[in-house]
Amino acid sequence: MKTNQDTCQNCEKPYEEGFQFCPHCGQKTNDELTLGVLFYNTISNYFSFDARFLKSFIPLMFRPGYLAKEFIKGKRLLYLHPAQMYLFVAVIFFFIFNFYVREGREKLDENMQRVLESRSEKLANRDSLVPQDSLDIKEFVKPLQNNAATIGLDEDDLKVLDSVANIKVPKKNMGMSYSFNEKDIDSLIAAGASDKELYKALGMDDDAGFFQRKFYGQILKFYKTMGLGQIFQAFIDSIPLAMFFLLPIFAFLLKLFFFNKGRYSHHLVFSFYYFSFLFVVFSLIFGVNRFWQIPDWIDWLIAFSTFFYLLVAIIKFYGQNWFLSFIKSGMVSFMFLWLVLPLSFVLLGFIAFLFY
């Protein structure tokens, strides 16, 4: 008996009429493109936001080590893939964290702007004291120093006068070399000196290579703009990418301490789920504090509890006793938090400084 046939819009192969999904490629047979379908497909394709996420979320939060153990056993369709879980919660975390980053950068920019204004004001006051001819500056400022209390000069003003008194102004031009200090750089900038002169004043060698020139160029850029907020933003922007390198390092540490407990890929699965848990916890902390300020001691207590989650997860996943698991999880945490992370942040800060 011949049955009615339909053709799949995706793979263009025939199938029996009445099927809800194509038996060849799996696409839904009646999949009209509505706004809801478009939105769901986008979320599903990129973040696998489906029933598996809901099935995975509760075990992730309240059954440490369970998801990783089940995934290693072979249950890889029942729960969300560890890398997909990590990607999804990481996106949510950095979205929430971005609000705090923006506020932090605004405060940094305001503080740096005040520093710039203060520096410009001091420079203007100092320049107003410099005579326009070839008089000896020491003789010019000496009466001001002697009568500081009378005319209302404070310690900062006296320091400025001292620095001005030691400046050697040539009788014909400003073509002189400066030592490396802020006042000299300010004077050069105010006089419209070229970058080459400024680099020399900063201490750069004439035969400096590309890297050294780049470094001094960033120093000068920072000094002129006080761009701490830009460096901070560049640093924050690099963290998501850095996490994709830090997570495998964490898995490598687990491999070192549990070298006979499976392949490196097994430790990587464990790390994906553990870092997913961390991102969920810190997303909740930042999210709740955004609307309702929680006491700091509670925040720290919740953050510290992630170590006990790691301990229980290691016991369940690796099947070792409490004592060995406590020692090894402590060593892994110590090496990662006090060695790997600080070195990584220093490197990220240096890169952010070079390319902000």
Side-chain angles (χ1 to χ4, degrees):
M1 182 178 176
K2 207 169 187 181
T3 59
N4 294 329
Q5 299 281 311
D6 280 334
T7 302
C8 177
Q9 296 176 347
N10 180 54
C11 65
E12 299 182 351
K13 292 182 179 180
Y15 60 87
E16 292 184 14
E17 185 179 331
F19 283 14
Q20 293 185 352
F21 296 90
C22 174
H24 305 288
C25 68
Q27 176 170 292
K28 195 174 181 180
T29 57
N30 184 18
D31 194 15
E32 295 183 5
L33 187 59
T34 63
L35 184 61
V37 169
L38 179 63
F39 179 76
Y40 174 82
N41 287 343
T42 301
I43 298 297
S44 178
N45 289 337
Y46 285 96
F47 304 112
S48 291
F49 187 80
D50 52 24
R52 289 182 301 161
F53 176 81
L54 300 178
K55 288 180 181 178
S56 305
F57 185 76
I58 299 300
L60 175 71
M61 299 304 296
F62 300 104
R63 300 186 69 178
Y66 175 80
L67 287 178
K69 196 170 184 179
E70 292 295 294
F71 191 85
I72 297 301
K73 284 181 179 179
K75 294 184 178 181
R76 297 171 189 175
L77 292 180
L78 183 60
Y79 301 106
L80 194 60
H81 192 280
Q84 293 171 325
M85 171 72 80
Y86 171 80
L87 176 62
F88 181 74
V89 297
V91 169
I92 294 177
F93 169 76
F94 285 108
F95 174 78
I96 296 174
F97 185 62
N98 183 65
F99 290 100
Y100 290 88
V101 171
R102 184 177 59 187
E103 293 175 356
R105 176 173 178 175
E106 289 175 355
K107 291 179 180 178
L108 282 175
D109 287 337
E110 290 175 2
N111 291 334
M112 292 301 100
Q113 185 60 34
R114 284 196 290 268
V115 172
L116 275 175
E117 292 173 356
S118 175
R119 195 173 69 191
S120 299
E121 183 180 351
K122 287 184 178 180
L123 180 61
N125 292 336
R126 186 185 72 188
D127 290 341
S128 66
L129 295 174
V130 179
Q132 300 301 315
D133 52 24
S134 59
L135 291 175
D136 188 347
I137 299 180
K138 286 186 177 180
E139 294 299 323
F140 183 82
V141 301
K142 190 174 181 180
L144 298 177
Q145 293 172 322
N146 294 337
N147 296 279
T150 304
I151 60 179
L153 298 180
D154 56 20
E155 284 190 26
D156 290 336
D157 296 324
L158 287 174
K159 290 179 181 178
V160 171
L161 287 176
D162 289 336
S163 63
V164 171
N166 292 323
I167 294 177
K168 303 295 183 181
V169 179
K171 297 182 181 295
K172 292 185 179 181
N173 56 60
M174 296 274 297
M176 57 164 293
S177 62
Y178 287 79
S179 58
F180 178 34
N181 62 65
E182 292 185 11
K183 296 180 177 63
D184 291 344
I185 299 300
D186 288 341
S187 299
L188 281 170
I189 293 174
S194 65
D195 286 349
K196 184 177 181 180
E197 293 176 289
L198 291 169
Y199 292 153
K200 188 174 182 180
L202 286 170
M204 188 181 77
D205 298 330
D206 293 334
D207 57 347
F210 171 80
F211 180 80
Q212 189 178 5
R213 288 183 178 275
K214 176 68 175 177
F215 182 73
Y216 276 98
Q218 293 299 93
I219 290 178
L220 182 59
K221 178 182 177 182
F222 176 78
Y223 190 79
K224 285 182 176 180
T225 63
M226 285 294 159
L228 188 57
Q230 298 175 34
I231 298 176
F232 176 71
Q233 186 64 54
F235 175 81
I236 295 299
D237 291 342
S238 62
I239 290 180
L241 179 61
M243 293 305 300
F244 281 97
F245 296 95
L246 291 174
L247 189 147
I249 294 176
F250 184 82
F252 177 73
L253 293 176
L254 289 174
K255 178 64 177 175
L256 289 179
F257 285 91
F258 300 95
F259 60 90
N260 60 343
K261 294 291 184 178
R263 301 176 179 176
Y264 174 75
S265 58
H266 296 180
H267 306 291
L268 196 58
V269 167
F270 179 90
S271 301
F272 270 123
Y273 281 125
Y274 178 62
F275 274 67
S276 298
F277 168 77
L278 291 178
F279 278 135
V280 171
V281 170
F282 286 103
S283 295
L284 291 173
I285 291 175
F286 285 119
V288 172
N289 276 283
R290 182 72 183 174
F291 302 100
W292 182 53
Q293 194 65 34
I294 300 176
D296 291 341
W297 69 270
I298 296 180
D299 290 336
W300 282 107
L301 184 63
I302 295 174
F304 187 71
S305 68
T306 58
F307 171 76
F308 292 97
Y309 179 97
L310 174 64
L311 174 60
V312 175
I314 284 177
I315 293 172
K316 298 293 185 182
F317 183 74
Y318 294 107
Q320 288 195 338
N321 60 61
W322 279 84
F323 180 75
L324 280 178
S325 297
F326 179 79
I327 297 298
K328 291 182 179 181
S329 58
M331 292 295 294
V332 170
S333 299
F334 175 82
M335 293 178 67
F336 188 78
L337 292 175
W338 299 103
L339 295 177
V340 176
L341 276 186
L343 289 175
S344 301
F345 285 158
V346 169
L347 181 60
L348 284 180
F350 185 70
I351 293 174
F353 175 75
L354 287 181
F355 298 101
Y356 81 94

